[in-house]
Amino acid sequence: QVQLVESGGGLVQPGGSLRLSCATSISAFSLVNMGWYRQPPGKQRELFASITSSSATNYADSVKGRFTISRDNAEKTIYLQMHSLKPDDTAVYYCNTAAGSRPWGQGTQVTVSS
């Protein structure tokens, strides 16, 4: 069964930075469009950043200019570099295919608070 393992979350002050990682066991990973999702407290999970197999990226307006998604096909891993974090970024962060087609991992908690 495909595994998605997110890591790198934590507690950070507003304006701070974090780098998340998502290790996968997806076969033919290099051909798969991937994405980062997040679920704020009491809200639905949403896709906010995606990266295609050719490394084209797309971002929600809420994170554009602050977050960067990248991938390492040799390691079957995607990353999320987050800067200028805001309290509204507080959420559990997940990775999955851009279609959300694999079983969800446990996610990693990001809390932005002073």
Side-chain angles (χ1 to χ4, degrees):
Q1 181 168 337
V2 169
Q3 285 190 311
L4 303 169
V5 181
E6 301 90 349
S7 62
L11 173 63
V12 62
Q13 292 188 340
S17 300
L18 280 175
R19 187 186 192 224
L20 306 184
S21 300
C22 169
T24 85
S25 60
I26 296 176
S27 60
F29 173 83
S30 63
L31 303 179
V32 178
N33 300 334
M34 295 294 297
W36 281 101
Y37 299 73
R38 64 185 181 182
Q39 185 168 17
K43 296 185 179 180
Q44 300 270 30
R45 182 160 46 203
E46 61 175 4
L47 174 68
F48 66 88
S50 61
I51 185 165
T52 69
S53 57
S54 58
S55 293
T57 59
N58 193 51
Y59 301 93
D61 288 344
S62 58
V63 306
K64 199 172 292 183
R66 300 188 298 122
F67 291 7
T68 302
I69 186 173
S70 60
R71 66 190 298 159
D72 182 333
N73 290 334
E75 296 295 326
K76 295 189 176 182
T77 298
I78 64 169
Y79 301 97
L80 184 70
Q81 180 67 55
M82 304 186 291
H83 295 298
S84 302
L85 283 160
K86 306 174 181 179
D88 283 351
D89 295 318
T90 295
V92 180
Y93 284 69
Y94 301 87
C95 67
N96 208 314
T97 67
S101 60
R102 299 298 198 269
W104 295 94
Q106 82 287 352
T108 187
Q109 176 71 48
V110 172
T111 302
V112 184
S113 175
S114 55

